Amino acid sequence: MNRIRSLALPIAVTLTAGALSALAAGTAQAADVNVARNGGFESGLANWSCTGGTGASVSSPVYAGSGALKATPAGQDNARCSQTVTVKPNSTYTLSTQVQGSYVHLGATGTGTQDVSTWTPGSGAGWQKLSTTFTTGPSTTQVTVYTHGWYGQPAYVVDEFSVFGPDGGGGTDPGPSVPGAPAGAAVSGQSANALTLSWNAVGSATGYYVYQDGVRVKTVTGGASTQITGLTASTSYSFQVSAYNAAGEGPKSAPVTGTTTGTDPGPGPGPAVPKHALTGYWQNFDNGATVQKISDVSAQYDIIAVSFADATTTPGAITFNLDSAGLGGYTVSQFKADIAAKKAAGKSVILSIGGEKGTISVNDSASANNLANSAYALMQEYGFTGIDIDLENGLNPTYMTQALRSLSSKVGSSLVITMAPQTIDMQSTQGGYFKTALNIKDILTVVNMQYYNSGSMNGCDGKVYSQGSVDFLTALACIQLEGGLDPSQVGIGVPASPSGAGSGYVSPTVVNNALDCLTRGTNCGSFKPSKTYPGLRGAMTWSTNWDAKAGSAWSNSVGPKVHGLP
């Protein structure tokens, strides 16, 4: 459905004598309509066609409602998604959409006059509006409108796609009706200061309102669950949920009661990260890799990054929802107990912020405080010992620095902070990720740059290197090592198997050779650094699950190498 909201504002209108005559004669033009279908992607990819299967309907991030289009360029395919709309000849239409991503294009072909296109530059952070106009020819009744990304760039996201102009007779999306009351409301994840509320999704809803003891306290989009924080220990609360869309808010659900636990002593200080550490991302979802509990993760891993935190409707704030159903009935209590056991074994279990459902924006002091406060609450609730920054659309170094320093002041010196930027993010010390890393150098644990899903990149010697080689790993690591980071803050991030990434997989032998080259000056390729860095922290992989799927070949090879570094 289209989710265009109208505002009843007073408007001053001046009519010419000709316009008044036209109105008097009953010849006024009909109001423009949106001739695009399913422009809000509330019905998945209905009415849309994407090249090579590159497009998918997602529930997060969304600009409005509960759906959006996410498409991923691959090789020579720029992930073009299009639909044909019915138009009137000799008419003007306004084409617009909201996008996230770098070099996202919007355009129209077959207009019968001049085809048009526009695009957003290489800043992928946040939603940006693209808009252009086209005029149809004297016999044009159909026009193809499209959006696409660019070669070698990450996935892009599109929402609220519209083509406004005269009705061409092809039909428009029907207006929505008020959604019904959500069923199945339940409370789980009890702690001293938080409760998790879930409910059954309502098909026609674009979002939900959460009521606590009769007062609306939260708006939820992109899911049917949320964490309610800031509660008092040993206290009962009553919750209701209502669904809403462009037609309005529906009735509230039946009330459900939840009670917080007693006083929470907090997670306590986490174990120290070893001098040389192996990091692995653990998947809180099933995508074909081995489904694991935290207790299943190989003992080779020193840092386990739980993937991922979820965004909320509060700018900067995060929450976490264990996918119990997708993980074979893994309960929250088991999850917490497994984290505690890993900590007792000297491992760090941290929460990763990023991924498909973790797109957050920290662009002011308020959102920085929200990130710090919500991350600290999750550390207290689950026992996490730190956080990982894995944002795919860039970050604001000023306010991300503020957020991480605020969190550090709450947790203390045992806080683990890791980062997983893309290769492009660490090419220059002027980039947002690199600036942030240098800003928090005194509290930063490690930057595990992703040496995959990349293209050719410059090394620290100014030469261009292609992914998949020892030189790519060493020459790009050199940029960080010579750009101001301590060797203990640099790690090599690679896929655990060919299935773990679209491109950039290298064998464990190549990773081990790169570690030898950087720390000992041996087993280098054509690039050899001018000095060695024996304090290099280690290596990282996506993911522990893909590693397990491949028989733990990666961790069993790279783990001993990392732990045996000088």
Side-chain angles (χ1 to χ4, degrees):
M1 74 194 82
N2 291 318
R3 293 159 292 169
I4 306 301
R5 298 177 177 85
S6 61
L7 298 177
L9 298 176
I11 303 175
V13 179
T14 302
L15 296 176
T16 64
L20 287 169
S21 298
L23 286 171
T27 58
Q29 293 291 320
D32 286 346
V33 298
N34 182 9
V35 299
R37 305 296 295 272
N38 190 29
F41 302 97
E42 303 302 305
S43 300
L45 297 186
N47 304 104
W48 290 90
S49 175
C50 296
T51 57
T54 54
S57 175
V58 297
S59 60
S60 178
V62 297
Y63 182 79
S66 59
L69 164 70
K70 184 175 183 179
T72 307
Q76 298 303 307
D77 191 333
N78 61 11
R80 186 179 189 266
C81 296
S82 63
Q83 72 167 271
T84 299
V85 297
T86 303
V87 295
K88 289 185 68 174
N90 295 319
S91 301
T92 299
Y93 291 83
T94 298
L95 172 64
S96 67
T97 190
Q98 294 285 343
V99 302
Q100 277 193 23
S102 300
Y103 307 106
V104 186
H105 291 241
L106 173 72
T109 62
T111 62
T113 56
Q114 181 176 357
D115 292 346
V116 298
S117 67
T118 185
W119 53 280
T120 184
S123 174
W127 288 101
Q128 302 175 73
K129 185 175 182 178
L130 285 177
S131 184
T132 186
T133 61
F134 63 87
T135 300
T136 56
S139 60
T140 302
T141 58
Q142 289 191 319
V143 170
T144 298
V145 292
Y146 65 85
T147 182
H148 65 73
W150 200 246
Y151 310 101
Q153 297 297 315
Y156 68 94
V157 185
V158 172
D159 201 359
E160 298 303 288
F161 194 104
S162 63
V163 185
F164 272 93
D167 188 351
T172 59
D173 287 337
S177 58
V178 173
V187 172
S188 62
Q190 290 89 344
S191 71
N193 56 13
L195 295 168
T196 297
L197 180 66
S198 61
W199 56 90
N200 296 339
V202 178
S204 61
T206 56
Y208 303 91
Y209 295 131
V210 175
Y211 291 83
Q212 175 183 315
D213 295 330
V215 177
R216 186 193 295 180
V217 294
K218 205 165 190 181
T219 301
V220 179
T221 59
S225 66
T226 189
Q227 186 183 54
I228 312 296
T229 59
L231 305 178
T232 302
S234 302
T235 304
S236 293
Y237 296 88
S238 177
F239 299 100
Q240 290 177 283
V241 184
S242 67
Y244 70 86
N245 58 22
E249 179 183 3
K252 296 183 182 69
S253 68
V256 61
T257 300
T259 303
T260 52
T261 61
T263 303
D264 189 344
V273 176
K275 177 182 178 181
H276 300 299
L278 197 71
T279 300
Y281 284 80
W282 174 85
Q283 298 176 187
N284 180 37
F285 50 86
D286 179 6
N287 66 346
T290 299
V291 172
Q292 292 184 311
K293 297 178 173 64
I294 292 293
S295 57
D296 298 329
V297 175
S298 168
Q300 292 287 352
Y301 292 100
D302 305 290
I303 302 175
I304 303 168
V306 171
S307 310
F308 294 97
D310 295 323
T312 73
T313 55
T314 302
I318 58 172
T319 187
F320 177 74
N321 298 293
L322 183 68
D323 184 13
S324 297
L327 302 182
Y330 195 19
T331 67
V332 172
S333 60
Q334 287 177 306
F335 178 70
K336 291 179 179 179
D338 288 348
I339 291 175
K342 285 292 185 182
K343 288 170 62 177
K347 311 299 183 181
S348 297
V349 183
I350 63 178
L351 180 61
S352 182
I353 301 171
E356 180 182 337
K357 295 185 178 180
T359 302
I360 67 166
S361 180
V362 181
N363 291 320
D364 54 32
S365 291
S367 55
N369 288 333
N370 291 338
L371 175 57
N373 291 337
S374 58
Y376 183 60
L378 292 171
M379 291 180 66
Q380 289 182 303
E381 180 178 358
Y382 291 95
F384 299 124
T385 55
I387 62 171
D388 169 69
I389 306 301
D390 186 19
L391 301 177
E392 298 177 356
N393 295 313
L395 49 79
N396 183 308
T398 299
Y399 296 109
M400 183 56 72
T401 297
Q402 177 185 325
L404 296 176
R405 289 205 171 276
S406 175
L407 181 60
S408 176
S409 70
K410 299 174 186 293
V411 178
S413 59
S414 66
L415 176 67
V416 175
I417 301 177
T418 69
M419 303 173 75
Q422 301 171 100
T423 52
I424 190 67
D425 296 321
M426 301 300 286
Q427 284 278 285
S428 167
T429 56
Q430 297 306 304
Y433 255 105
F434 215 141
K435 280 186 177 180
T436 302
L438 295 176
N439 287 347
I440 62 166
K441 185 176 177 181
D442 56 314
I443 58 173
L444 174 66
T445 306
V446 62
V447 176
N448 291 304
M449 188 175 75
Q450 302 175 45
Y451 292 78
Y452 51 95
N453 292 340
S454 178
S456 299
M457 289 288 165
N458 290 324
C460 65
D461 58 355
K463 295 181 180 179
V464 177
Y465 294 93
S466 298
Q467 65 179 5
S469 66
V470 170
D471 289 335
F472 188 75
L473 303 181
T474 56
L476 269 67
C478 176
I479 297 176
Q480 300 172 61
L481 293 162
E482 294 301 310
L485 292 181
D486 188 84
S488 67
Q489 296 171 324
V490 176
I492 296 174
V494 294
S497 75
S499 300
S503 64
Y505 170 75
V506 292
S507 71
T509 300
V510 173
V511 180
N512 290 345
N513 287 344
L515 293 170
D516 279 337
C517 180
L518 292 168
T519 60
R520 297 184 171 97
T522 61
N523 292 326
C524 298
S526 62
F527 171 80
K528 186 171 183 177
S530 59
K531 61 181 180 181
T532 59
Y533 308 91
L536 192 81
R537 180 67 76 174
M540 170 275 280
T541 195
W542 176 269
S543 61
T544 66
N545 307 73
W546 285 116
D547 183 28
K549 181 81 169 182
S552 299
W554 192 89
S555 58
N556 286 339
S557 176
V558 180
K561 170 63 72 172
V562 166
H563 298 137
L565 291 175

